[in-house]
Short mmCIF file of all heavy atoms in Angstrom, two decimals:
data_model
loop_
_atom_site.label_atom_id
_atom_site.label_comp_id
_atom_site.label_asym_id
_atom_site.label_seq_id
_atom_site.Cartn_x
_atom_site.Cartn_y
_atom_site.Cartn_z
N LYS A 291 62.89 68.05 -4.93
CA LYS A 291 64.21 68.70 -5.02
C LYS A 291 64.22 69.70 -6.17
O LYS A 291 63.70 69.46 -7.24
CB LYS A 291 65.27 67.62 -5.25
CG LYS A 291 66.66 68.16 -5.55
CD LYS A 291 67.58 67.04 -5.98
CE LYS A 291 68.90 67.59 -6.49
NZ LYS A 291 69.78 66.52 -7.03
N VAL A 293 65.52 71.34 -9.28
CA VAL A 293 66.39 70.89 -10.36
C VAL A 293 66.83 72.07 -11.24
O VAL A 293 67.92 72.05 -11.82
CB VAL A 293 65.71 69.79 -11.21
CG1 VAL A 293 64.47 70.33 -11.92
CG2 VAL A 293 66.67 69.18 -12.21
N VAL A 294 66.00 73.10 -11.33
CA VAL A 294 66.34 74.31 -12.10
C VAL A 294 66.05 75.53 -11.23
O VAL A 294 64.99 75.62 -10.61
CB VAL A 294 65.53 74.41 -13.40
CG1 VAL A 294 65.79 75.75 -14.10
CG2 VAL A 294 65.86 73.26 -14.34
N PHE A 315 62.77 82.03 -10.57
CA PHE A 315 61.88 80.93 -10.95
C PHE A 315 62.56 79.61 -10.64
O PHE A 315 63.78 79.47 -10.83
CB PHE A 315 61.57 81.05 -12.45
CG PHE A 315 60.77 79.91 -13.02
CD1 PHE A 315 59.41 79.80 -12.75
CD2 PHE A 315 61.36 78.97 -13.84
CE1 PHE A 315 58.68 78.76 -13.29
CE2 PHE A 315 60.63 77.93 -14.39
CZ PHE A 315 59.27 77.83 -14.10
N GLN A 316 61.77 78.65 -10.16
CA GLN A 316 62.34 77.33 -9.84
C GLN A 316 61.47 76.22 -10.41
O GLN A 316 60.24 76.35 -10.49
CB GLN A 316 62.45 77.15 -8.32
CG GLN A 316 63.44 78.08 -7.65
CD GLN A 316 63.48 77.91 -6.15
OE1 GLN A 316 62.51 77.43 -5.54
NE2 GLN A 316 64.59 78.28 -5.53
N LEU A 317 62.14 75.15 -10.79
CA LEU A 317 61.46 73.91 -11.17
C LEU A 317 61.91 72.81 -10.22
O LEU A 317 63.10 72.70 -9.92
CB LEU A 317 61.81 73.51 -12.61
CG LEU A 317 61.12 74.24 -13.75
CD1 LEU A 317 61.70 73.80 -15.08
CD2 LEU A 317 59.61 73.99 -13.72
N ARG A 318 60.95 72.01 -9.77
CA ARG A 318 61.27 70.92 -8.85
C ARG A 318 60.98 69.57 -9.51
O ARG A 318 60.08 69.46 -10.35
CB ARG A 318 60.44 71.06 -7.56
CG ARG A 318 60.78 72.32 -6.76
CD ARG A 318 59.88 72.46 -5.54
NE ARG A 318 60.24 73.65 -4.77
CZ ARG A 318 61.15 73.68 -3.82
NH1 ARG A 318 61.81 72.57 -3.51
NH2 ARG A 318 61.42 74.80 -3.17
N LEU A 319 61.72 68.58 -9.10
CA LEU A 319 61.47 67.24 -9.60
C LEU A 319 60.10 66.76 -9.13
O LEU A 319 59.68 67.06 -8.01
CB LEU A 319 62.56 66.28 -9.11
CG LEU A 319 63.97 66.53 -9.67
CD1 LEU A 319 64.97 65.57 -9.03
CD2 LEU A 319 64.00 66.39 -11.19
N GLY A 320 59.41 66.04 -10.00
CA GLY A 320 58.12 65.48 -9.64
C GLY A 320 56.94 66.40 -9.87
O GLY A 320 55.82 66.08 -9.48
N GLU A 321 57.15 67.57 -10.52
CA GLU A 321 56.03 68.48 -10.73
C GLU A 321 55.86 68.82 -12.20
O GLU A 321 56.81 68.86 -12.98
CB GLU A 321 56.19 69.76 -9.92
CG GLU A 321 57.28 70.69 -10.37
CD GLU A 321 57.25 72.04 -9.64
OE1 GLU A 321 56.29 72.32 -8.90
OE2 GLU A 321 58.20 72.81 -9.83
N LEU A 322 54.59 69.05 -12.56
CA LEU A 322 54.22 69.55 -13.87
C LEU A 322 53.81 71.01 -13.70
O LEU A 322 52.86 71.32 -12.99
CB LEU A 322 53.05 68.74 -14.45
CG LEU A 322 52.38 69.26 -15.72
CD1 LEU A 322 53.38 69.33 -16.87
CD2 LEU A 322 51.20 68.39 -16.11
N VAL A 323 54.56 71.89 -14.33
CA VAL A 323 54.32 73.33 -14.20
C VAL A 323 53.79 73.87 -15.52
O VAL A 323 54.38 73.60 -16.58
CB VAL A 323 55.62 74.07 -13.81
CG1 VAL A 323 55.38 75.59 -13.76
CG2 VAL A 323 56.14 73.57 -12.47
N ALA A 324 52.70 74.62 -15.46
CA ALA A 324 52.15 75.29 -16.65
C ALA A 324 52.56 76.75 -16.61
O ALA A 324 52.25 77.46 -15.65
CB ALA A 324 50.64 75.16 -16.68
N LEU A 325 53.27 77.19 -17.65
CA LEU A 325 53.68 78.58 -17.78
C LEU A 325 52.72 79.25 -18.76
O LEU A 325 52.66 78.88 -19.93
CB LEU A 325 55.12 78.65 -18.30
CG LEU A 325 55.77 80.03 -18.39
CD1 LEU A 325 55.84 80.71 -17.04
CD2 LEU A 325 57.18 79.91 -18.99
N VAL A 326 51.95 80.21 -18.26
CA VAL A 326 50.89 80.82 -19.07
C VAL A 326 51.04 82.33 -19.07
O VAL A 326 51.68 82.92 -18.20
CB VAL A 326 49.48 80.42 -18.55
CG1 VAL A 326 49.30 78.91 -18.58
CG2 VAL A 326 49.25 80.95 -17.14
N ALA A 337 62.00 79.78 -21.29
CA ALA A 337 62.21 78.35 -21.55
C ALA A 337 63.51 78.11 -22.32
O ALA A 337 64.25 77.16 -22.01
CB ALA A 337 61.02 77.80 -22.34
N ILE A 340 66.51 78.40 -20.00
CA ILE A 340 66.67 77.19 -19.17
C ILE A 340 67.28 76.06 -19.98
O ILE A 340 68.10 75.28 -19.48
CB ILE A 340 65.31 76.76 -18.57
CG1 ILE A 340 64.80 77.82 -17.59
CG2 ILE A 340 65.42 75.41 -17.88
CD1 ILE A 340 63.39 77.59 -17.11
N LEU A 369 70.12 66.60 -20.25
CA LEU A 369 69.45 66.97 -19.01
C LEU A 369 68.14 67.71 -19.27
O LEU A 369 67.13 67.48 -18.59
CB LEU A 369 70.36 67.86 -18.16
CG LEU A 369 71.42 67.20 -17.31
CD1 LEU A 369 72.32 68.25 -16.68
CD2 LEU A 369 70.78 66.35 -16.22
N VAL A 370 68.17 68.62 -20.22
CA VAL A 370 67.02 69.48 -20.51
C VAL A 370 66.61 69.31 -21.97
O VAL A 370 67.37 69.65 -22.88
CB VAL A 370 67.33 70.97 -20.23
CG1 VAL A 370 66.08 71.81 -20.47
CG2 VAL A 370 67.83 71.15 -18.81
N GLY A 371 65.42 68.77 -22.19
CA GLY A 371 64.90 68.64 -23.55
C GLY A 371 63.91 69.74 -23.85
O GLY A 371 63.06 70.07 -23.02
N TYR A 372 64.04 70.34 -25.04
CA TYR A 372 63.17 71.47 -25.41
C TYR A 372 62.46 71.15 -26.72
O TYR A 372 63.11 70.82 -27.72
CB TYR A 372 64.00 72.74 -25.55
CG TYR A 372 63.19 73.97 -25.92
CD1 TYR A 372 62.52 74.69 -24.94
CD2 TYR A 372 63.08 74.40 -27.24
CE1 TYR A 372 61.78 75.82 -25.26
CE2 TYR A 372 62.33 75.52 -27.57
CZ TYR A 372 61.68 76.22 -26.59
OH TYR A 372 60.94 77.31 -26.91
N VAL A 373 61.14 71.28 -26.72
CA VAL A 373 60.33 71.07 -27.92
C VAL A 373 59.80 72.42 -28.37
O VAL A 373 59.06 73.09 -27.64
CB VAL A 373 59.16 70.10 -27.65
CG1 VAL A 373 58.39 69.86 -28.95
CG2 VAL A 373 59.67 68.79 -27.08
N PHE A 415 53.04 58.63 -29.40
CA PHE A 415 52.56 59.87 -30.02
C PHE A 415 51.72 59.62 -31.28
O PHE A 415 51.52 60.53 -32.08
CB PHE A 415 53.73 60.80 -30.31
CG PHE A 415 54.34 61.38 -29.07
CD1 PHE A 415 55.44 60.80 -28.49
CD2 PHE A 415 53.77 62.49 -28.47
CE1 PHE A 415 55.99 61.31 -27.31
CE2 PHE A 415 54.30 63.01 -27.31
CZ PHE A 415 55.41 62.42 -26.72
N LEU A 438 57.76 66.28 -30.63
CA LEU A 438 57.66 65.81 -29.26
C LEU A 438 58.33 64.46 -29.08
O LEU A 438 59.10 64.24 -28.13
CB LEU A 438 56.18 65.71 -28.86
CG LEU A 438 55.49 66.98 -28.39
CD1 LEU A 438 53.98 66.82 -28.48
CD2 LEU A 438 55.89 67.30 -26.96
N ILE A 441 62.23 64.39 -28.87
CA ILE A 441 62.82 64.83 -27.61
C ILE A 441 62.47 63.87 -26.48
O ILE A 441 63.31 63.50 -25.66
CB ILE A 441 62.36 66.26 -27.26
CG1 ILE A 441 62.77 67.23 -28.37
CG2 ILE A 441 62.94 66.70 -25.92
CD1 ILE A 441 64.27 67.30 -28.62
N TYR A 442 61.22 63.43 -26.44
CA TYR A 442 60.77 62.50 -25.40
C TYR A 442 61.62 61.23 -25.38
O TYR A 442 61.93 60.69 -24.31
CB TYR A 442 59.30 62.17 -25.64
CG TYR A 442 58.75 61.06 -24.78
CD1 TYR A 442 58.35 61.31 -23.47
CD2 TYR A 442 58.62 59.77 -25.29
CE1 TYR A 442 57.83 60.28 -22.69
CE2 TYR A 442 58.11 58.74 -24.52
CZ TYR A 442 57.71 59.00 -23.21
OH TYR A 442 57.22 57.99 -22.44
N ASN A 445 64.64 60.81 -22.95
CA ASN A 445 64.44 60.72 -21.50
C ASN A 445 65.15 61.83 -20.73
O ASN A 445 65.93 61.56 -19.80
CB ASN A 445 64.91 59.36 -20.97
CG ASN A 445 64.07 58.21 -21.49
OD1 ASN A 445 62.86 58.35 -21.65
ND2 ASN A 445 64.72 57.08 -21.76
N PRO A 446 64.92 63.09 -21.05
CA PRO A 446 65.60 64.17 -20.34
C PRO A 446 65.11 64.30 -18.90
O PRO A 446 63.98 63.91 -18.58
CB PRO A 446 65.25 65.41 -21.15
CG PRO A 446 63.93 65.08 -21.78
CD PRO A 446 63.98 63.61 -22.08
N ARG A 447 65.94 64.85 -18.05
CA ARG A 447 65.59 65.08 -16.64
C ARG A 447 64.52 66.18 -16.54
O ARG A 447 63.63 66.12 -15.70
CB ARG A 447 66.85 65.51 -15.88
CG ARG A 447 66.71 65.61 -14.38
CD ARG A 447 66.74 64.27 -13.74
NE ARG A 447 67.20 64.36 -12.35
CZ ARG A 447 66.95 63.43 -11.47
NH1 ARG A 447 66.27 62.34 -11.82
NH2 ARG A 447 67.40 63.54 -10.23
N VAL A 448 64.67 67.19 -17.38
CA VAL A 448 63.71 68.29 -17.46
C VAL A 448 63.17 68.34 -18.89
O VAL A 448 63.95 68.40 -19.84
CB VAL A 448 64.35 69.64 -17.10
CG1 VAL A 448 63.34 70.78 -17.25
CG2 VAL A 448 64.92 69.62 -15.69
N LEU A 449 61.86 68.31 -19.02
CA LEU A 449 61.24 68.35 -20.35
C LEU A 449 60.46 69.65 -20.47
O LEU A 449 59.55 69.92 -19.68
CB LEU A 449 60.31 67.16 -20.55
CG LEU A 449 59.55 67.09 -21.88
CD1 LEU A 449 60.52 66.99 -23.04
CD2 LEU A 449 58.59 65.90 -21.89
N ILE A 450 60.84 70.47 -21.45
CA ILE A 450 60.16 71.74 -21.70
C ILE A 450 59.41 71.62 -23.03
O ILE A 450 60.02 71.31 -24.06
CB ILE A 450 61.16 72.90 -21.77
CG1 ILE A 450 61.94 73.00 -20.45
CG2 ILE A 450 60.44 74.21 -22.05
CD1 ILE A 450 63.05 74.03 -20.49
N VAL A 451 58.12 71.88 -22.99
CA VAL A 451 57.28 71.72 -24.18
C VAL A 451 56.56 73.04 -24.43
O VAL A 451 55.80 73.53 -23.59
CB VAL A 451 56.26 70.59 -24.00
CG1 VAL A 451 55.58 70.28 -25.32
CG2 VAL A 451 56.93 69.33 -23.47
N ASP A 452 56.82 73.63 -25.60
CA ASP A 452 56.29 74.96 -25.93
C ASP A 452 55.06 74.81 -26.82
O ASP A 452 55.16 74.42 -27.98
CB ASP A 452 57.38 75.78 -26.64
CG ASP A 452 57.07 77.27 -26.67
OD1 ASP A 452 55.93 77.64 -26.39
OD2 ASP A 452 57.98 78.06 -26.98
N GLU A 453 53.90 75.10 -26.27
CA GLU A 453 52.61 75.08 -26.99
C GLU A 453 52.36 73.74 -27.72
O GLU A 453 52.18 73.71 -28.95
CB GLU A 453 52.54 76.23 -27.99
CG GLU A 453 52.44 77.60 -27.35
CD GLU A 453 51.13 77.83 -26.63
OE1 GLU A 453 50.21 77.01 -26.76
OE2 GLU A 453 51.03 78.84 -25.93
N PRO A 454 52.32 72.63 -27.00
CA PRO A 454 52.17 71.33 -27.67
C PRO A 454 50.76 71.04 -28.17
O PRO A 454 50.57 70.14 -28.98
CB PRO A 454 52.55 70.34 -26.57
CG PRO A 454 52.13 71.02 -25.31
CD PRO A 454 52.42 72.48 -25.54
N ALA A 465 45.53 63.02 -23.77
CA ALA A 465 46.52 61.94 -23.67
C ALA A 465 47.92 62.49 -23.46
O ALA A 465 48.72 61.93 -22.70
CB ALA A 465 46.47 61.07 -24.93
N LEU A 466 48.22 63.61 -24.13
CA LEU A 466 49.53 64.23 -23.96
C LEU A 466 49.73 64.71 -22.53
O LEU A 466 50.78 64.46 -21.92
CB LEU A 466 49.68 65.41 -24.93
CG LEU A 466 50.94 66.26 -24.74
CD1 LEU A 466 52.19 65.44 -25.01
CD2 LEU A 466 50.90 67.49 -25.61
N PHE A 467 48.74 65.38 -21.97
CA PHE A 467 48.89 65.86 -20.60
C PHE A 467 48.91 64.70 -19.60
O PHE A 467 49.60 64.78 -18.58
CB PHE A 467 47.79 66.87 -20.25
CG PHE A 467 48.18 68.28 -20.55
CD1 PHE A 467 48.10 68.79 -21.84
CD2 PHE A 467 48.66 69.11 -19.55
CE1 PHE A 467 48.47 70.10 -22.13
CE2 PHE A 467 49.04 70.42 -19.82
CZ PHE A 467 48.96 70.92 -21.11
N ASP A 468 48.18 63.62 -19.90
CA ASP A 468 48.31 62.41 -19.07
C ASP A 468 49.75 61.91 -19.10
O ASP A 468 50.33 61.55 -18.06
CB ASP A 468 47.38 61.31 -19.58
CG ASP A 468 45.93 61.53 -19.19
OD1 ASP A 468 45.67 62.22 -18.19
OD2 ASP A 468 45.04 61.00 -19.90
N LEU A 469 50.33 61.89 -20.30
CA LEU A 469 51.71 61.44 -20.46
C LEU A 469 52.69 62.36 -19.73
O LEU A 469 53.58 61.89 -19.00
CB LEU A 469 52.06 61.39 -21.95
CG LEU A 469 53.53 61.14 -22.30
CD1 LEU A 469 53.95 59.75 -21.85
CD2 LEU A 469 53.76 61.32 -23.79
N LEU A 470 52.53 63.67 -19.92
CA LEU A 470 53.43 64.62 -19.26
C LEU A 470 53.31 64.53 -17.74
O LEU A 470 54.30 64.67 -17.02
CB LEU A 470 53.12 66.04 -19.73
CG LEU A 470 53.37 66.31 -21.22
CD1 LEU A 470 52.97 67.74 -21.57
CD2 LEU A 470 54.83 66.06 -21.59
N LYS A 471 52.10 64.26 -17.26
CA LYS A 471 51.91 64.08 -15.82
C LYS A 471 52.68 62.85 -15.34
O LYS A 471 53.35 62.88 -14.30
CB LYS A 471 50.42 63.94 -15.52
CG LYS A 471 50.06 64.01 -14.05
CD LYS A 471 50.10 65.44 -13.56
CE LYS A 471 49.46 65.57 -12.18
NZ LYS A 471 49.49 66.96 -11.70
N ARG A 472 52.59 61.76 -16.12
CA ARG A 472 53.32 60.54 -15.74
C ARG A 472 54.82 60.79 -15.77
O ARG A 472 55.55 60.32 -14.89
CB ARG A 472 52.97 59.39 -16.70
CG ARG A 472 51.56 58.87 -16.56
CD ARG A 472 51.41 57.49 -17.18
NE ARG A 472 51.82 57.45 -18.57
CZ ARG A 472 51.01 57.70 -19.60
NH1 ARG A 472 49.74 58.04 -19.36
NH2 ARG A 472 51.44 57.63 -20.83
N VAL A 473 55.29 61.51 -16.80
CA VAL A 473 56.72 61.82 -16.89
C VAL A 473 57.18 62.59 -15.67
O VAL A 473 58.24 62.31 -15.09
CB VAL A 473 57.02 62.62 -18.18
CG1 VAL A 473 58.44 63.16 -18.16
CG2 VAL A 473 56.81 61.74 -19.41
N SER A 474 56.40 63.56 -15.23
CA SER A 474 56.79 64.36 -14.06
C SER A 474 56.88 63.51 -12.81
O SER A 474 57.72 63.76 -11.93
CB SER A 474 55.79 65.51 -13.86
OG SER A 474 54.54 65.04 -13.40
N LYS A 475 56.04 62.47 -12.71
CA LYS A 475 56.05 61.62 -11.53
C LYS A 475 57.17 60.58 -11.56
O LYS A 475 57.35 59.84 -10.60
CB LYS A 475 54.69 60.93 -11.36
CG LYS A 475 53.51 61.90 -11.18
CD LYS A 475 53.81 62.98 -10.14
CE LYS A 475 52.73 64.03 -10.07
NZ LYS A 475 53.12 65.18 -9.22
N GLU A 476 57.90 60.53 -12.67
CA GLU A 476 59.07 59.64 -12.76
C GLU A 476 60.31 60.35 -12.24
O GLU A 476 61.41 60.16 -12.75
CB GLU A 476 59.28 59.20 -14.21
CG GLU A 476 58.15 58.36 -14.78
CD GLU A 476 58.25 58.18 -16.29
OE1 GLU A 476 59.18 58.78 -16.90
OE2 GLU A 476 57.41 57.47 -16.85
N ASN A 477 60.09 61.19 -11.23
CA ASN A 477 61.17 61.99 -10.64
C ASN A 477 61.85 62.86 -11.69
O ASN A 477 63.07 63.03 -11.71
CB ASN A 477 62.21 61.11 -9.94
CG ASN A 477 63.00 61.89 -8.90
OD1 ASN A 477 62.48 62.82 -8.27
ND2 ASN A 477 64.25 61.54 -8.72
N ARG A 478 61.00 63.41 -12.56
CA ARG A 478 61.47 64.39 -13.55
C ARG A 478 60.63 65.65 -13.42
O ARG A 478 59.65 65.68 -12.67
CB ARG A 478 61.38 63.81 -14.96
CG ARG A 478 62.39 62.70 -15.22
CD ARG A 478 62.51 62.40 -16.68
NE ARG A 478 61.64 61.29 -17.08
CZ ARG A 478 61.52 60.87 -18.33
NH1 ARG A 478 62.18 61.47 -19.30
NH2 ARG A 478 60.72 59.87 -18.62
N SER A 479 61.01 66.67 -14.14
CA SER A 479 60.29 67.94 -14.09
C SER A 479 59.81 68.28 -15.48
O SER A 479 60.55 68.14 -16.46
CB SER A 479 61.21 69.04 -13.56
OG SER A 479 60.52 70.27 -13.47
N VAL A 480 58.55 68.73 -15.58
CA VAL A 480 57.97 69.09 -16.87
C VAL A 480 57.47 70.52 -16.81
O VAL A 480 56.72 70.89 -15.90
CB VAL A 480 56.81 68.14 -17.24
CG1 VAL A 480 56.18 68.57 -18.56
CG2 VAL A 480 57.30 66.70 -17.34
N LEU A 481 57.90 71.31 -17.78
CA LEU A 481 57.42 72.69 -17.93
C LEU A 481 56.67 72.80 -19.25
O LEU A 481 57.25 72.54 -20.31
CB LEU A 481 58.60 73.67 -17.91
CG LEU A 481 58.26 75.15 -18.13
CD1 LEU A 481 57.40 75.69 -16.98
CD2 LEU A 481 59.53 75.98 -18.29
N VAL A 482 55.40 73.14 -19.19
CA VAL A 482 54.57 73.26 -20.39
C VAL A 482 54.15 74.71 -20.58
O VAL A 482 53.54 75.31 -19.69
CB VAL A 482 53.31 72.38 -20.31
CG1 VAL A 482 52.53 72.46 -21.62
CG2 VAL A 482 53.67 70.94 -20.02
N ILE A 483 54.49 75.28 -21.72
CA ILE A 483 53.98 76.58 -22.10
C ILE A 483 52.70 76.33 -22.89
O ILE A 483 52.70 75.58 -23.87
CB ILE A 483 54.99 77.35 -22.97
CG1 ILE A 483 56.28 77.59 -22.19
CG2 ILE A 483 54.41 78.66 -23.46
CD1 ILE A 483 57.41 78.15 -23.03
N THR A 484 51.61 76.93 -22.45
CA THR A 484 50.35 76.60 -23.11
C THR A 484 49.34 77.74 -23.02
O THR A 484 49.33 78.52 -22.07
CB THR A 484 49.73 75.32 -22.49
OG1 THR A 484 48.55 74.97 -23.20
CG2 THR A 484 49.40 75.50 -21.02
N ALA A 490 45.62 73.29 -18.49
CA ALA A 490 46.57 73.74 -17.48
C ALA A 490 45.95 73.65 -16.09
O ALA A 490 46.57 73.14 -15.14
CB ALA A 490 47.03 75.16 -17.78
N TYR A 493 45.54 69.80 -15.07
CA TYR A 493 46.68 68.89 -14.94
C TYR A 493 47.86 69.45 -14.16
O TYR A 493 48.64 68.68 -13.59
CB TYR A 493 47.17 68.49 -16.33
CG TYR A 493 46.32 67.46 -17.01
CD1 TYR A 493 45.25 67.83 -17.83
CD2 TYR A 493 46.57 66.10 -16.86
CE1 TYR A 493 44.46 66.90 -18.47
CE2 TYR A 493 45.79 65.15 -17.50
CZ TYR A 493 44.73 65.56 -18.30
OH TYR A 493 43.96 64.62 -18.92
N ALA A 494 48.04 70.73 -14.15
CA ALA A 494 49.27 71.29 -13.57
C ALA A 494 49.29 71.15 -12.05
O ALA A 494 48.28 71.30 -11.37
CB ALA A 494 49.43 72.75 -13.96
N ASP A 495 50.48 70.87 -11.51
CA ASP A 495 50.68 70.95 -10.07
C ASP A 495 50.85 72.41 -9.65
O ASP A 495 50.48 72.78 -8.54
CB ASP A 495 51.95 70.17 -9.67
CG ASP A 495 51.83 68.70 -10.01
OD1 ASP A 495 50.90 68.05 -9.50
OD2 ASP A 495 52.65 68.20 -10.80
N ARG A 496 51.39 73.19 -10.58
CA ARG A 496 51.61 74.61 -10.30
C ARG A 496 51.44 75.40 -11.58
O ARG A 496 51.84 74.95 -12.65
CB ARG A 496 53.03 74.80 -9.73
CG ARG A 496 53.40 76.24 -9.38
CD ARG A 496 54.59 76.29 -8.41
NE ARG A 496 55.74 75.55 -8.89
CZ ARG A 496 56.83 76.12 -9.44
NH1 ARG A 496 56.88 77.44 -9.57
NH2 ARG A 496 57.84 75.39 -9.84
N MET A 497 50.80 76.56 -11.49
CA MET A 497 50.67 77.46 -12.63
C MET A 497 51.48 78.71 -12.35
O MET A 497 51.47 79.24 -11.23
CB MET A 497 49.21 77.83 -12.89
CG MET A 497 48.37 76.69 -13.43
SD MET A 497 46.62 77.13 -13.68
CE MET A 497 46.75 78.29 -15.04
N VAL A 498 52.19 79.17 -13.37
CA VAL A 498 53.00 80.38 -13.27
C VAL A 498 52.51 81.34 -14.35
O VAL A 498 52.48 80.98 -15.54
CB VAL A 498 54.49 80.08 -13.45
CG1 VAL A 498 55.31 81.37 -13.41
CG2 VAL A 498 54.98 79.11 -12.39
#
Side-chain angles (χ1 to χ4, degrees):
K291 172 189 171 185
V293 64
V294 174
F315 174 74
Q316 294 177 336
L317 282 174
R318 296 177 179 272
L319 293 176
E321 70 172 351
L322 171 60
V323 176
L325 185 60
V326 301
I340 294 172
L369 278 173
V370 183
Y372 180 83
V373 183
F415 290 95
L438 277 161
I441 300 301
Y442 171 80
N445 295 324
R447 188 78 155 159
V448 177
L449 178 61
I450 301 174
V451 190
D452 196 346
E453 291 292 351
L466 173 64
F467 269 81
D468 283 336
L469 171 65
L470 296 177
K471 191 77 168 180
R472 291 198 304 271
V473 169
S474 70
K475 299 312 173 189
E476 295 168 356
N477 202 32
R478 290 194 265 177
S479 181
V480 177
L481 177 65
V482 183
I483 299 172
T484 184
Y493 283 90
D495 298 301
R496 180 161 54 102
M497 290 178 68
V498 177

